[in-house]
């Protein structure tokens, strides 16, 4: 921890900071410049972390040396971590394409979608059974029936299944059927849900909140990791900005920042970022070029009849075409 004192801080104020540091068992090192004094605190920084240090008289700023996200930090595994989603690896050089409908609508539609995306090269199937809808009157998902359909179709096609768990009370139920539990953007800071997922032995796909910073996303990942579940995949899915041309603004820099800051695999969801099918390919290719370890994308055999998010769903033929370009870009960046 580094304390930067205000210009003109008195000797009494400096001495007070020194005493506060010593009281917590750290060793202070005072460096007096011509304009200001800087005080370094060596030792277990965590002991100071929760104190309102900037409230100490004479202190202008306090800079922590350690990252607040210890387990999510790149320092933990400099070459990256691979997470296994039902046997399919993502991260540390492994790329995973996950595709499927926004929501599970029926067994035949899901089965058809899965067959087509697998034929195009997808390695995992997505589909929501518990949907986080803005309106309480909108379709909320098929619940456990949806989970059953996902499991059945996933097993038939040999595709691991990724699905959202919206509620703390459903963690056990969803974990019984899914290979990977998705935390939706709206739940990124549902800390009780994160803690519960930390106790599950299934990977978690953690989506970035609509207005969450990268640091907040990493702190949310830390909740899951600190509780003992080390299989966390981060996901950039578009954030809220002033721009209205797209549903969200895909933060491509988040991919590069997350890769630099964390050892965890990074996925990108171009569908919810774009909100328009015609932009999904561009965003996908940009994400792959930026170093994303995986993509999660919405595909529907008949988007105009989709129960949810049809405007942003790719037709299977378009998905097939996009997959070819993804593979080509992977060759360049991998
Ligand atoms: C989804 O993936 O279906 C979804 C609802 O995404 P998000 O939580 O990112 O809005
Ligand atoms: Mn959707």
């Amino acid at each position: 921890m580094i304390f930067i004192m205000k210009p003109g801080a008195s000797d009494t104020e400096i001495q007070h900071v020194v005493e506060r540091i010593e009281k917590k068992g750290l060793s202070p090192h005072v460096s007096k410049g011509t304009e200001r004094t800087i005080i370094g605190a060596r030792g277990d920084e965590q002991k100071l972390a929760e104190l309102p240090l900037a409230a100490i008289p004479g202190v202008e700023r306090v800079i922590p040396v350690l990252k607040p996200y210890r387990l999510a930090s790149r320092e933990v595994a400099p070459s990256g971590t691979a997470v296994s989603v039902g046997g399919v690896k993502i991260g540390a050089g492994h790329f995973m394409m996950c595709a499927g409908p926004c929501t599970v609508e029926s067994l035949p539609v899901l089965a058809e979608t899965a067959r087509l995306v697998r034929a195009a090269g997808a390695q995992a199937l997505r589909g929501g059974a518990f949907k986080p809808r803005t309106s309480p009157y909108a379709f909320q998902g098929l619940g456990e029936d949806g989970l059953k359909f996902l499991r059945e179709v996933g097993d038939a096609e040999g595709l691991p299944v990724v699905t959202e768990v919206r509620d703390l009370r459903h963690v056990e139920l969803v974990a019984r059927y899914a290979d990977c539990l998705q935390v939706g953007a709206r739940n990124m800071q549902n800390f009780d849900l994160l803690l519960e997922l930390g106790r599950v032995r299934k990977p978690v796909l953690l989506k970035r909140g609509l207005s969450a910073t990268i640091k907040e996303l990493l702190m949310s990942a830390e909740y899951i990791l600190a509780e003992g579940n080390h299989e966390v995949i981060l996901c950039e899915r578009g954030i809220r900005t002033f721009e209205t041309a797209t549903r969200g603004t895909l933060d491509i820099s988040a991919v590069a920042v997350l890769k630099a800051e964390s050892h965890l695999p990074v996925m990108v969801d171009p569908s919810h970022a774009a909100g328009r099918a015609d932009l999904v390919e561009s965003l996908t290719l940009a994400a792959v070029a930026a170093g994303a370890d995986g993509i999660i994308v919405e595909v529907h055999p008949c988007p105009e009849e989709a129960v949810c998010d049809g405007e942003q769903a790719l037709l299977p033929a378009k998905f097939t075409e996009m997959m070819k370009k993804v593979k080509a870009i992977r060759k360049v960046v991998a």
Side-chain angles (χ1 to χ4, degrees), residues 163-229:
T163 196
E164 176 162 352
V165 57
R166 203 180 64 179
D167 190 303
L168 175 66
R169 294 164 296 185
H170 298 148
V171 169
E172 201 271 324
L173 172 74
V174 178
R176 223 183 301 144
Y177 292 97
D179 297 294
C180 178
L181 285 77
Q182 177 178 323
V183 176
R186 289 152 193 83
N187 261 327
M188 190 203 83
Q189 286 186 318
N190 180 339
F191 299 117
D192 290 322
L193 176 62
L194 300 179
L195 287 173
E196 196 60 32
L197 289 168
R199 295 173 203 129
V200 167
R201 293 285 82 87
K202 288 268 169 92
V204 174
L205 172 65
L206 178 63
K207 291 189 137 195
R208 181 180 181 182
L210 276 72
S211 300
T213 64
I214 293 171
K215 186 174 165 191
E216 286 164 342
L217 170 62
L218 289 167
M219 292 307 293
S220 288
E222 194 76 13
Y223 265 86
I224 303 169
L225 298 165
E227 206 57 25
N229 186 350

Side-chain angles (χ1 to χ4, degrees), residues 98-154:
C98 177
C102 176
T103 182
V104 178
E105 300 170 12
S106 70
L107 188 59
V109 174
L110 185 68
E112 187 189 357
T113 316
R115 184 176 55 78
L116 293 166
V117 297
R118 192 186 64 82
Q123 298 128 300
L125 178 65
R126 65 146 289 148
F130 293 96
K131 295 302 300 174
R133 305 305 299 277
T134 301
S135 164
Y137 308 116
F139 177 66
Q140 302 285 312
L142 292 181
E144 188 168 0
D145 282 344
L147 297 175
K148 285 182 182 159
F149 295 163
L150 277 167
R151 191 69 269 156
E152 186 179 330
V153 169

